[in-house]
Amino acid sequence: EPEVTQTPSHQVTQMGQEVILRCVPISNHLYFYWYRQILGQKVEFLVSFYNNEISEKSEIFDDQFSVERPDGSNFTLKIRSTKLEDSAMYFCASSDGSGLRGYTFGSGTRLTVV
Amino acid sequence: AQTVTQSQPEMSVQEAETVTLSCTYDTSESNYYLFWYKQPPSRQMILVIRQEAYKQQNATENRFSVNFQKAAKSFSLKISDSQLGDTAMYFCAFMKYFGNEKLTFGTGTRLTIIP
């Protein structure tokens, strides 16, 4: 079954550093998403991306965050200057736009800011 | 804006028993999708079951079934013949109808299956 691949699985970074989280969505999907889950809390929407532009973003997705699809396969989330409160699990997901099948989530990147 | 509420933070049940997880939601939309996702200790998000709001028939997937009450805005998950591998966090989620919309999640229910 097709998978969404996320790398790295765990990243530790110092406060103030830039991080890039990488995702390879399912190849025939057109809609891409990032979600965040702070430990022990619910999963929160960050941003959706379609046709090379942001479709929707949440209040969490401020100027420190950006997304990019630099080539035909990768989808990245960049955090410019990490803060302690950015420590969380970050999930990438992709969809073919059919709500019936929902999303396919990647296995997540655990980001730890120290 | 949509909200999803899961009022049971934790539940436990003996192996082979049946358990029901509750979910209510609030929306002004008439067409939408509802989902249950499972998050085992590995923290991966796994789709368990989905329901289209315009369908009256409750969805079933093997041991998993839902009780969808549209008027009451209720969407509970029933797990029959529970197995140790069912131990996980379970999240209820809402999506507006167009299918490329964001998911709105509840706060989750931690389910433990006791051997």
Side-chain angles (χ1 to χ4, degrees), chain A residues 31-36 42-50 54-61 91-100 102-105, chain B residues 1-4 26-27 29 31-35 37 45 92-106:
Chain A
Y31 302 89
F32 314 116
Y33 312 85
W34 284 101
Y35 285 77
R36 181 181 82 174
K42 69 177 177 181
V43 181
E44 299 174 292
F45 170 77
L46 290 178
V47 66
S48 58
F49 191 86
Y50 170 72
I54 291 174
S55 307
E56 185 177 356
K57 59 184 180 179
S58 71
E59 293 176 353
I60 303 168
F61 195 87
F91 291 101
C92 174
S94 69
S95 165
D96 63 1
S98 164
L100 183 62
Y103 293 3
T104 301
F105 280 89
Chain B
Q2 286 67 233
T3 59
V4 178
D26 189 26
T27 184
E29 304 286 329
N31 290 318
Y32 47 87
Y33 297 100
L34 294 164
F35 303 89
Y37 279 89
M45 297 293 287
C92 179
F94 173 100
M95 177 193 287
K96 288 196 288 188
Y97 183 66
F98 292 102
N100 59 333
E101 300 284 342
K102 66 182 180 185
L103 282 168
T104 300
F105 285 89

Side-chain angles (χ1 to χ4, degrees), chain B residues 73-88:
Chain B
K73 295 180 180 173
S74 170
F75 182 61
S76 61
L77 173 69
K78 185 171 85 171
I79 306 174
S80 304
D81 185 27
S82 55
Q83 301 174 358
L84 297 179
D86 296 332
T87 292

Side-chain angles (χ1 to χ4, degrees), chain B residues 1-16:
Chain B
Q2 286 67 233
T3 59
V4 178
T5 302
Q6 294 179 249
S7 58
Q8 305 152 311
E10 294 188 21
M11 296 186 72
S12 60
V13 67
Q14 293 288 138
E15 191 177 4

Side-chain angles (χ1 to χ4, degrees), chain A residues 65-83:
Chain A
F65 291 89
S66 63
V67 289
E68 193 178 33
R69 188 158 162 82
D71 52 41
S73 59
N74 289 284
F75 179 51
T76 62
L77 174 69
K78 182 193 290 186
I79 309 175
R80 288 191 181 81
S81 179
T82 50
K83 303 175 231 177

